[in-house]
Amino acid sequence: MRHRPLGAALAVLMAAAAVTVSTSDASAATTTTYTVSPTGQGSACTASNPCALLTAQGKVRKATGSTSTDIAVVLKDGTYRLDKTFTLDAAQGDSATNGHTVTYEAAAGAHPVISGGQQVGGWQQGANGVWSATVPAGTDTRQLYVDGVRANRAAGPDPTGFTRTATGYTTSDATLAGWHNISDVEFLYNVGWTQMRCGIASVSGTTVTMKQPCFDNSTKKPYGVNADRPDWVENAKELLDSPGEFYLDKPAHTLYYIPRQGQDLRSADVEIPRLQTVIQGTGAVAKPLKGVGLKGITVQYGGWTEPNGGDGFSEVQANMRLTGNDAWEKQGSCDRFSKTDPGTCPYGNWTMTPGNVVFDHTDGLSLQGDTFQHLGAAGLQLGQYVHNSSVTGNVFTDISANGLEIGNGADASPADLDVIPADNTIADNWVHHVAVDYSGGVGIFQGYARYDTITHNQVNDVPYSGISSNWGWGWNPNTRSEGNKITDNLVFDHMQQHFDGGGIYVLGQEGTTLANGLLISGNVIHDGVGGGHAIYSDGGSQFVTETDNAVFGNDEYSFGGCKEQNNPYGDFNFTGNYYENTTPDWPCGEPANAVIANNTQVAYDGAGVPASLLANAGLEAQYKGLLAPPAGVASKNLATGKPVQAQFLDGSTAQLQPESQLSYATDGNPGTYVQASGQFKWQLVVDLQQAQTLGYVTVGMPRPHFATDFHVDASTDGSAWATVGTVHGSGWGTVPVDFASPISARYLRIVADKPDDWGQRGDQMAISEVGAFAPTNLAAGVKIQDGAADLGSVRRLTSVAASECDGKPYSVAASTDGKTWTTVIADSRTGELQAPVSARYLKFSAIKGSVTITGVTAFGPNDTALNKPATALFIDGTQAQLQPNSTSALGDDGDPNTWTQATNRYRWAYQVDLQQAQSIDVVSLLMPNDKFATRFHIDVSVDGSTFYTVARRVDSAGGITGVQLDQTVKARYIKVVADRPDDGGQTGGQMAVSELAVYGSK
């Protein structure tokens, strides 16, 4: 077989992805087009008269035998609900012929969805906030989604205490014996790099008998790790107690769910999967499925229920499983443990978790610009004899198992070399938040493969390894894997839940020489959490080149691996890399024939890595749009370009540091700053040039030049000053200074209080940017009718006034529903709001006579996260347990002396629902001085399902950390994720959130 180099493969990819529109000259037409819609009827299949998807497929099958053109099936917008798998079969005529292509693609501007889901309606509210709905008999699901947000199966900790036996457990009491549907209850085990799940077979008194063969396969292996007592109990009605949890009572055909705040099941789109395989493409070695493509299509709501059975989910690694009786002893062990009674060969001959989209025996498959989401198995599986495929520019997210799988673990030495996947390119895909249910999974899994290229992908937020390549514990001299490349990928926030993995994890023989071995080059790997190696050459690894990679900010060794006893390990060339730790880690013995040289040590934050290497890793320019959160509208900074003065505290002109200029404080460039010289305490005065109504200001200070304490004064004339805000315990960054009610000022003065000597956290205040922002008038543009204003939705208000009236006094009443009114201002001459009020409607009434109101100002908190619904989550997305006397509401209640803090797990996240999408510029986090995350990152989302990382801090401490986002984003959900500390030895102990504040235009 001839193997194309990367450049040629990408050229083929781009050519295959091109779609040529038919010309007016029929003889010159290059594409035959059939148009479909979810409601299509008839057989015309035109843009004006679309047909159904299966109707168009029938036309394709009739046309492929004699076509002289490419064929495009164009999908209009909408959801295509399937009642059976959409199958593309070479034997049925789905292949392209005569060198042409058959592409199922989105219409211009459309976002069609192919769904394997089933909607659930008819919800009824019951006791304790639990809702229920009837489902058809035979319904079985392990997933449920509400408005596109995944729910959690009802779960909780060990309710009784377990002692393991040969067949299960004994318990301290008979609690479990009284539970509903006990054979549906599942035990979950997080062990090392794996997560195993086994169901209960029966309970008699205090004796628990587990389902087989899962229990034996999970507890008896002579290799890897084994389960002992469960970490978690799942899928019991008795554990249904938290918002976002569900339970399916299969015998009663009833689904139960506790809505999250803001969810209304009477109108929500509630979905469960009813198909395992949503799309399948297949052929044979003699007749593969050729030239088929999917472009711009979303595939969602596929399920998988096999773990409910006796095999459970007995994971070995990367979602590879043991199945069948005695698999713990025989499956995949070959002659490793017995030469006279060997197990099944080759090594690693385990069972792969299936994909919800599956292709095998294909040639020239193209998947471009598709989205694989809300899936209950693996996302995409490319199996045997997948050759010359291109998987480019796709998104894989919210997937229960591995994001993307290539090959499997059973083809190390096949009788027919052709069944090994070969010459495939996996490029420019965004793989994130996968392995949601089966957390031992990885972003991209590559089994035995030949001349495959995994390049320019971004993999982030995965519970175990980012990219896992090759397979087979043990050593097989006849392996046929060779020529694979892992290049220019960006991997971060990996190892979120497990350890002993890496950003890139490889094992097994990767070729026969370094020339045809595995190339790992140009990758950037940062901020991995669990222990292991950022680039991990594990057992049996041989013939691996590692060059020009950047590795930093990981809570693990930069590189290394573990030799397997009595097996070859080595033939490595690790040169020219940028490692945070340049000393390799070989805990099981040194590799043979390893060249490790000319590697450069870099800082934990990546300082020292060439900018070109950082810029080149991950998605290429034409695919960067996949990563961009929805853009917001930036708040207008009234200080931009305004004149400033630097003064010592006595009012005299301050000398400046040599690199400083006064204009830097208002030039809009956070990379420049102004800093005084000669005295630690100084002040910066900004002239807004006219009086402005202000809601808050921001003070940007660079690292490490910042004031630990400072205050802000305001003046209308530059002579009489009033302090309008004071900040204590600040770090570097953009710190907001909020006003309880709007102020009027022309001049602002930022005054350094600390540092006042070298002992402070910041060495000396410098100011990179001053922001001055008007409060948002929530009544702007609102129509006033009969003295009443409708704000459109219930809003939190701190100030209300008539901005345009005839000068007469008035009173103000407020209402949330337009029916029940409460007077909030009795007389505009003497009163104002005494406390914040929630209202949608405002009514203005004359004190005497009549008054005409033509304009209204209604200001709310500038911090739009204040008192909004908040949730504490463990890193797996389940609701976190909290410290005593801690609640989620304490993290955004406006009181800096209270806080939210999780317990039992160091890594957790605090999420606030702003209740509607809005533009966001600045996020501020206040953490107690003895309970803080040394490192954290900030994610945002519009829909509560797809989250984008928009900021990261790697050196925070207690006090205030203000983060100016690189770009204004539109988001409803804000989530702060603790990255460090992750154990008791870290500086901060454990993150607590006193206040999460959010600023931007509404």
Side-chain angles (χ1 to χ4, degrees), residues 218-267:
S218 300
T219 59
K220 294 183 176 182
K221 293 189 299 294
Y223 54 85
V225 290
N226 282 308
D228 188 11
R229 288 178 295 183
D231 295 283
W232 210 241
V233 182
E234 193 168 287
N235 201 39
K237 186 177 182 181
E238 288 75 9
L239 298 173
L240 185 65
D241 58 6
S242 299
E245 285 189 332
F246 79 98
Y247 172 74
L248 173 61
D249 188 335
K250 288 188 281 190
H253 321 311
T254 303
L255 193 60
Y256 296 93
Y257 178 66
I258 302 178
R260 295 180 170 101
Q261 196 158 3
Q263 291 180 335
D264 186 350
L265 296 189
R266 294 167 298 184
S267 58

Side-chain angles (χ1 to χ4, degrees), residues 517-878:
L518 175 65
L519 173 64
I520 303 174
S521 176
N523 304 283
V524 173
I525 301 168
H526 66 86
D527 288 282
V529 179
H533 303 84
I535 303 180
Y536 198 153
S537 46
D538 204 0
S541 292
Q542 195 174 20
F543 302 115
V544 179
T545 297
E546 190 174 311
T547 185
D548 201 31
N549 302 285
V551 175
F552 56 89
N554 299 289
D555 189 20
E556 55 193 3
Y557 293 99
S558 293
F559 68 112
C562 199
K563 175 182 179 180
E564 288 188 349
Q565 189 175 10
N566 300 323
N567 286 323
Y569 180 67
D571 295 291
F572 299 153
N573 190 323
F574 296 171
T575 59
N577 298 285
Y578 298 86
Y579 295 132
E580 182 179 352
N581 311 112
T582 54
T583 301
D585 176 56
W586 313 114
C588 310
E590 297 278 336
N593 303 320
V595 176
I596 301 172
N598 300 322
N599 298 302
T600 302
Q601 187 167 19
V602 298
Y604 70 94
D605 61 356
V609 178
S612 58
L613 175 55
L614 294 173
N616 187 58
L619 272 60
E620 295 173 281
Q622 62 267 43
Y623 299 101
K624 289 284 189 183
L626 296 177
L627 306 173
V633 178
S635 302
K636 182 179 181 181
N637 183 358
L638 301 174
T640 299
K642 299 301 190 292
V644 300
Q645 299 177 46
Q647 302 173 345
F648 292 129
L649 295 193
D650 61 4
S652 62
T653 299
Q655 296 176 307
L656 300 181
Q657 296 286 353
E659 70 275 12
S660 291
Q661 294 184 28
L662 291 174
S663 61
Y664 287 168
T666 57
D667 66 352
N669 180 3
T672 61
Y673 58 84
V674 59
Q675 186 178 31
S677 175
Q679 296 183 22
F680 282 99
K681 286 190 173 183
W682 65 285
Q683 58 195 20
L684 186 81
V685 179
V686 180
D687 179 3
L688 301 179
Q689 298 188 304
Q690 64 181 11
Q692 301 279 6
T693 300
L694 303 178
Y696 67 100
V697 300
T698 59
V699 179
M701 298 179 290
R703 181 174 60 175
H705 312 304
F706 60 89
T708 305
D709 292 359
F710 66 89
H711 68 271
V712 177
D713 297 336
S715 173
T716 56
D717 59 7
S719 177
W721 295 87
T723 297
V724 293
T726 302
V727 174
H728 297 290
S730 176
W732 69 275
T734 299
V735 179
V737 182
D738 209 339
F739 309 138
S741 58
I743 67 168
S744 179
R746 171 176 172 172
Y747 299 93
L748 295 171
R749 185 168 68 187
I750 296 94
V751 184
D753 298 318
K754 290 184 178 179
D756 52 12
D757 59 47
W758 292 106
Q760 302 299 322
R761 288 170 55 196
D763 60 5
Q764 183 191 1
M765 181 176 78
I767 295 179
S768 56
E769 206 66 31
V770 176
F773 301 95
T776 300
N777 181 9
L778 301 176
V782 170
K783 184 178 181 180
I784 312 299
Q785 186 171 0
D786 298 328
D790 178 1
L791 303 180
S793 62
V794 175
R795 313 299 291 265
R796 186 79 165 166
L797 304 178
T798 57
S799 176
V800 174
S803 59
E804 300 173 33
C805 64
D806 55 13
K808 295 180 180 179
Y810 55 85
S811 64
V812 182
S815 173
T816 58
D817 58 8
K819 299 176 182 178
T820 303
W821 296 86
T822 301
T823 298
V824 293
I825 298 176
D827 190 329
S828 61
R829 294 169 296 185
T830 59
E832 57 185 24
L833 288 184
Q834 298 301 305
V837 62
S838 295
R840 172 175 175 173
Y841 303 94
L842 298 171
K843 182 186 295 182
F844 297 80
S845 303
I847 301 295
K848 291 182 180 180
S850 62
V851 61
T852 300
I853 306 295
T854 58
V856 173
T857 58
F859 298 119
N862 299 296
D863 168 16
T864 55
L866 184 65
N867 294 313
K868 293 298 194 300
T871 307
L873 302 168
F874 285 136
I875 206 67
D876 61 4
T878 59

Side-chain angles (χ1 to χ4, degrees), residues 95-321:
S95 278
T97 55
N98 302 322
H100 293 289
T101 60
V102 173
T103 306
Y104 290 78
E105 64 185 53
H111 303 280
V113 175
I114 295 181
S115 173
Q118 169 185 331
Q119 287 183 309
V120 179
W123 289 90
Q124 301 292 323
Q125 186 173 12
N128 301 318
V130 179
W131 290 62
S132 64
T134 301
V135 294
T139 296
D140 193 5
T141 182
R142 296 175 65 90
Q143 291 84 33
L144 179 139
Y145 305 86
V146 181
D147 288 332
V149 178
R150 180 183 291 247
N152 300 312
R153 293 211 300 174
D158 170 6
T160 63
F162 294 110
T163 300
R164 209 181 103 195
T165 67
T167 58
Y169 302 91
T170 58
T171 65
S172 59
D173 59 52
T175 297
L176 293 180
W179 279 15
H180 290 74
N181 304 328
I182 194 64
S183 63
D184 288 335
V185 176
E186 188 171 284
F187 285 176
L188 183 151
Y189 309 84
N190 286 312
V191 190
W193 55 87
T194 70
Q195 183 186 82
M196 294 170 250
R197 294 168 173 267
C198 293
I200 295 176
S202 64
V203 174
S204 177
T206 60
T207 299
V208 178
T209 302
M210 300 298 292
K211 288 181 180 177
Q212 296 288 9
C214 184
F215 192 66
D216 280 352
N217 288 340
S218 300
T219 59
K220 294 183 176 182
K221 293 189 299 294
Y223 54 85
V225 290
N226 282 308
D228 188 11
R229 288 178 295 183
D231 295 283
W232 210 241
V233 182
E234 193 168 287
N235 201 39
K237 186 177 182 181
E238 288 75 9
L239 298 173
L240 185 65
D241 58 6
S242 299
E245 285 189 332
F246 79 98
Y247 172 74
L248 173 61
D249 188 335
K250 288 188 281 190
H253 321 311
T254 303
L255 193 60
Y256 296 93
Y257 178 66
I258 302 178
R260 295 180 170 101
Q261 196 158 3
Q263 291 180 335
D264 186 350
L265 296 189
R266 294 167 298 184
S267 58
D269 174 25
V270 182
E271 304 265 0
I272 58 174
R274 63 175 171 179
L275 297 179
Q276 174 178 314
T277 308
V278 182
I279 298 177
Q280 180 174 25
T282 189
V285 172
K287 188 178 182 180
L289 181 68
K290 284 191 173 183
V292 170
L294 303 178
K295 184 179 180 182
I297 294 171
T298 294
V299 183
Q300 64 186 23
Y301 300 139
W304 181 51
T305 58
E306 185 180 336
N308 295 347
D311 278 324
F313 192 87
S314 184
E315 186 178 46
V316 178
Q317 190 175 19
N319 285 180
M320 298 289 284
R321 302 170 291 128

